[in-house]
């Protein structure tokens, strides 16, 4: 068994800086639905009780399984509502939260967003259309609840020696517009109204940078989370990616990097064709978080000694695989992706509610005990 000589924070920062820690850092991307299932409670009941109940469920899981290195704020329905997304709360019949994609954003709204910014647009226009939050006063109450919950979570996890990975997961402006406009209509806009889209992206990028830096500095954190699910070549040709996603992404990374803050990119779907672009970013300025559809071993070869990779133990493996399968894949990741540093052992996207207890234990145990075979 590998002797531990680092704290969780030292271990994670070492890996993010492309150095070799005492062992691989572990940081599963948690979901409250998985935490509820693994601790024997009903998620739909927990979610109906608000942010604190969901936070407490995830902390209970952390304690039950002996903890791990990296944690993130609870991604509760309240968080999505604050961003202007319509949600369907979990129920006994449908026990997962769902984000409902409809055409809430109109093409003429791009001009409004370019003028006043995204959050002012949410407060002044979008919440009335979505209907999840009835008034700006309710929105403020919701924001205060989430902020207080996030701070409480940071306090509790720090007591347990865990490292807070990022204060929140921002949706990339491209992804947020796609979700709010609907993917079909947004795609039409990319081709037929590109200048209008670019105006909104420019304003939203500036807003994300300003708010994200303030949030990180206020929380004393050195990593900011950004999620994107639709800009990769799985959906769009590279010319779309190069015009509407990559320039704004470079701007985000450069701004945060100038403040000593790394950007954690949660990249769902297949990004095989897009990975080489990330080599253009400053060394050790970002973390690439993959969900199991991108070839992580090819990504490692392209980004070796340049960017840290957050790994992709697949939801299928965690839910229907066997413990020995999970162990074998974790060892392969440590040997081939983490052999020279720059790896965080994690799940491919969020931990699924169907995760088997023995599989989760196998992942944690392997990460804590396995030594490189070469």
């Amino acid at each position: 068994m590998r002797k531990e000589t680092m704290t969780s924070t030292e271990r994670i920062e070492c890996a993010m800086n492309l150095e070799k820690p005492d062992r691989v850092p572990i940081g599963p991307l948690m979901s409250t639905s998985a935490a509820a299932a693994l601790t024997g409670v009903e998620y739909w009941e927990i979610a109906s009780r608000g942010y604190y109940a969901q936070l407490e469920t995830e902390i209970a899981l952390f304690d039950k399984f002996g903890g791990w290195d990296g944690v993130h704020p609870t991604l509760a329905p309240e968080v999505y509502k604050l961003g202007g997304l319509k949600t369907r709360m979990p129920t006994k019949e449908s026990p997962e939260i769902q984000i409902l994609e409809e055409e809430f954003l109109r093409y003429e709204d791009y001009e409004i967003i370019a003028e006043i910014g995204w959050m002012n647009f949410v407060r002044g226009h979008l919440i009335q259309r979505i209907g999840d939050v009835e008034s700006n006063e309710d929105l403020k109450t919701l924001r205060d609840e989430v902020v207080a919950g996030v701070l409480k979570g940071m306090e509790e996890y720090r007591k347990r020696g865990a490292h807070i990975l990022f204060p929140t997961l921002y949706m990339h402006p491209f992804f947020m517009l796609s979700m709010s406009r609907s993917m079909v209509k947004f795609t039409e806009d990319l081709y037929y109204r590109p200048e209008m889209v670019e105006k909104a992206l420019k304003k939203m990028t500036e807003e994300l940078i300003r708010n994200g830096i303030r949030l990180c500095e206020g929380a004393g954190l050195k990593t900011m989370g950004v999620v994107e699910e639709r800009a990769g070549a799985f959906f769009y040709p590279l010319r779309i990616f190069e015009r509407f996603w990559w320039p704004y992404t470079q701007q985000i990374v450069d701004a945060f990097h100038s403040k000593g803050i790394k950007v954690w990119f949660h990249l769902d779907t297949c990004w095989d064709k897009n990975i080489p672009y990330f080599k253009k970013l400053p060394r050790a300025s970002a973390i690439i978080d993959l969900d199991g559809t991108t070839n992580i071993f090819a990504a490692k070869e392209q980004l070796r000694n340049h960017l840290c990779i957050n790994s992709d133990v697949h939801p299928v493996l965690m839910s229907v695989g066997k413990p020995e399968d999970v162990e074998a894949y974790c060892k392969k990741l440590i040997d081939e992706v983490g052999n020279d540093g720059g790896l965080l052992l994690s799940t491919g996207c969020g931990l699924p509610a169907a995760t088997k207890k023995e599989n989760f234990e196998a992942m944690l145990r392997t990460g804590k005990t396995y030594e490189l075979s070469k």
Side-chain angles (χ1 to χ4, degrees):
M1 177 175 176
R2 182 181 292 275
K3 182 180 179 181
E4 295 190 1
T5 59
M6 293 180 171
T7 65
S8 290
T9 294
E10 291 170 341
R11 190 173 293 125
I12 288 174
E13 290 181 346
C14 184
M16 288 182 176
N17 289 324
L18 306 173
E19 301 165 353
K20 291 186 70 171
D22 58 344
R23 64 161 172 80
V24 65
I26 309 167
L29 189 60
M30 186 51 57
S31 67
T32 310
S33 58
L38 290 167
T39 54
V41 297
E42 297 288 351
Y43 175 45
W44 62 275
E45 292 182 344
I46 297 298
S48 68
R49 288 160 44 196
Y51 190 94
Y52 278 103
Q54 294 167 83
L55 169 64
E56 290 172 350
T57 303
E58 294 187 14
I59 292 175
L61 179 73
F62 185 93
D63 292 342
K64 179 177 180 178
F65 283 81
W68 45 86
D69 299 299
V71 298
H72 60 81
T74 298
L75 298 176
E78 291 81 1
V79 176
Y80 299 116
K81 291 178 183 179
L82 283 178
L85 296 173
K86 186 174 182 62
T87 60
R88 178 177 293 162
M89 294 292 287
T91 64
K92 187 174 183 179
E93 292 73 27
S94 180
E96 289 279 7
I97 178 178
Q98 298 178 48
I99 298 176
L100 304 181
E101 181 176 349
E102 299 178 27
E103 192 182 333
F104 294 113
L105 196 70
R106 304 160 188 156
Y107 74 84
E108 60 266 28
D109 292 328
Y110 291 125
E111 298 286 353
I112 300 174
I113 296 167
E115 181 179 350
I116 67 175
W118 178 255
M119 288 313 300
N120 283 332
F121 175 75
V122 170
R123 288 189 288 266
H125 302 268
L126 199 55
I127 62 169
Q128 292 90 345
R129 300 176 195 174
I130 292 175
D132 271 6
V133 183
E134 293 184 0
S135 66
N136 282 324
E137 183 178 341
D138 291 337
L139 192 67
K140 182 181 183 302
T141 300
L142 189 65
R143 184 180 67 244
D144 291 345
E145 176 188 351
V146 170
V147 170
V150 169
L151 293 175
K152 180 63 175 177
M154 291 173 62
E155 176 188 354
E156 291 297 323
Y157 281 123
R158 281 172 171 160
K159 286 179 184 177
R160 291 159 169 81
H163 176 84
I164 312 301
L165 292 171
F166 36 77
T168 190
L169 261 179
Y170 277 117
M171 293 179 73
H172 193 286
F174 183 98
F175 186 28
M176 181 61 80
L177 290 177
S178 177
M179 289 293 294
S180 299
R181 178 83 170 115
S182 84
M183 188 171 186
V184 171
K185 288 296 182 181
F186 182 61
T187 301
E188 290 179 3
D189 296 339
L190 293 175
Y191 285 93
Y192 298 114
R193 303 181 180 94
E195 292 82 9
M196 295 179 70
V197 175
E198 287 175 318
K199 287 181 182 179
L201 287 172
K202 181 178 183 295
K203 183 70 171 184
M204 293 171 72
T205 298
E206 294 168 353
E207 187 176 20
L208 186 155
I209 290 170
R210 181 177 62 253
N211 293 340
I213 289 175
R214 183 170 62 235
L215 189 59
C216 284
E217 290 179 342
L221 300 178
K222 292 295 184 180
T223 312
M224 183 70 243
V226 176
V227 60
E228 177 61 70
E229 297 182 4
R230 295 184 172 177
F234 180 84
F235 288 112
Y236 292 109
L238 290 177
R239 67 181 183 274
I240 295 293
F241 170 83
E242 290 172 348
R243 179 173 179 178
F244 297 99
W245 198 84
W246 185 248
Y248 305 100
T249 300
Q250 285 185 302
Q251 183 182 347
I252 291 167
V253 172
D254 288 344
F256 279 90
H257 186 59
S258 71
K259 299 292 185 179
I261 302 170
K262 302 180 192 298
V263 181
W264 179 295
F265 287 105
H266 180 74
L267 304 176
D268 283 336
T269 70
C270 181
W271 286 68
D272 286 341
K273 294 181 179 180
N274 308 87
I275 290 295
Y277 289 80
F278 290 89
K279 192 71 179 287
K280 300 177 183 179
L281 300 177
R283 183 179 183 273
S285 62
I287 298 91
I288 305 303
D289 177 25
L290 304 175
D291 74 347
T293 51
T294 301
N295 185 332
I296 193 171
F297 303 102
K300 173 65 178 185
E301 290 309 308
Q302 295 174 81
L303 300 177
R304 184 179 296 277
N305 199 35
H306 193 75
L307 295 181
C308 177
I309 293 179
N310 194 70
S311 75
D312 61 346
V313 182
H314 202 279
V316 172
L317 189 59
M318 296 299 289
S319 57
V320 301
K322 298 178 181 179
E324 52 265 34
D325 299 327
V326 175
E327 179 180 344
Y329 187 66
C330 290
K331 288 180 177 179
K332 183 178 182 181
L333 287 170
I334 295 168
D335 282 341
E336 299 184 23
V337 182
N339 58 351
D340 58 353
L343 169 69
L344 283 80
L345 183 64
S346 185
T347 51
C349 200
L351 192 68
T355 296
K356 295 178 182 177
K357 173 179 176 291
E358 57 270 24
N359 288 351
F360 190 47
E361 289 174 332
M363 176 184 167
L364 298 178
R365 181 178 62 253
T366 305
K368 291 178 180 180
T369 64
Y370 182 63
E371 298 190 45
L372 285 171
S373 61
K374 58 182 178 181

